[in-house]
Amino acid sequence: MCLFCKIVNKEIPSNIILEDEEFLAFHDINPKAPLHILAIPKIHVDSFNEADGDLMGKMSTFIQRIASEVDIDKSGYRVITNVGKNGGQEVQHLHFHVLGGAKLHWGHFSDADPQGHF
Ligand code: AMP
């Protein structure tokens, strides 16, 4: 069973913010912003590559509920999902990083030439 499935099953403790029948939100153990929350489906889905429209629709609503719950819906926030090796995905269970609580930087994603594809 994967790490986040164990968190869903409460075999591994987490600091839960919001939970319903299908989704769970908890604080990231290694925060990259004053608020760094992970939102996951309870069913195991490997990554965004395998997420269908129905799941994504419900996931969007759940993420909006998180933002409102922790009061960053008005101040703003960022939603990120890393996919696969180049995306930097370390846990192979679909998750969305919800980052906020301060003005976030926007910058350097790789050492490759950003114009390299053109
Ligand atoms: P990613 O690199 O997109 O796969 O993100 C995985 C995230 O999971 C990282 O930001 C980790 O800090 C976080 N993480 C790993 N283990 C735990 C845990 N037990 N509880 C909460 N967050 C975790």
Side-chain angles (χ1 to χ4, degrees), residues 25-69:
F26 52 95
H27 287 282
D28 194 294
I29 206 169
N30 182 22
K32 303 272 195 293
L35 267 170
H36 185 170
I37 297 159
L38 298 175
I40 68 171
K42 288 187 170 178
I43 53 157
H44 182 88
V45 176
D46 280 344
S47 81
F48 182 75
N49 272 341
E50 289 78 28
D52 66 20
D54 180 49
L55 178 68
M56 285 307 301
K58 290 186 282 189
M59 188 93 238
S60 298
T61 303
F62 186 69
I63 290 171
Q64 290 159 4
R65 282 181 58 207
I66 296 167
S68 150
E69 177 75 24

Side-chain angles (χ1 to χ4, degrees), residues 16-20 23-27 35-41 58-74 77-79 95-100:
I16 294 173
I17 290 157
L18 201 60
E19 178 170 16
D20 66 16
F23 300 100
L24 183 68
F26 52 95
H27 287 282
L35 267 170
H36 185 170
I37 297 159
L38 298 175
I40 68 171
K58 290 186 282 189
M59 188 93 238
S60 298
T61 303
F62 186 69
I63 290 171
Q64 290 159 4
R65 282 181 58 207
I66 296 167
S68 150
E69 177 75 24
V70 299
D71 205 25
I72 56 173
D73 52 334
K74 305 278 189 309
Y77 58 99
R78 188 170 298 162
V79 180
H95 54 282
F96 291 84
H97 298 260
V98 181
L99 300 139

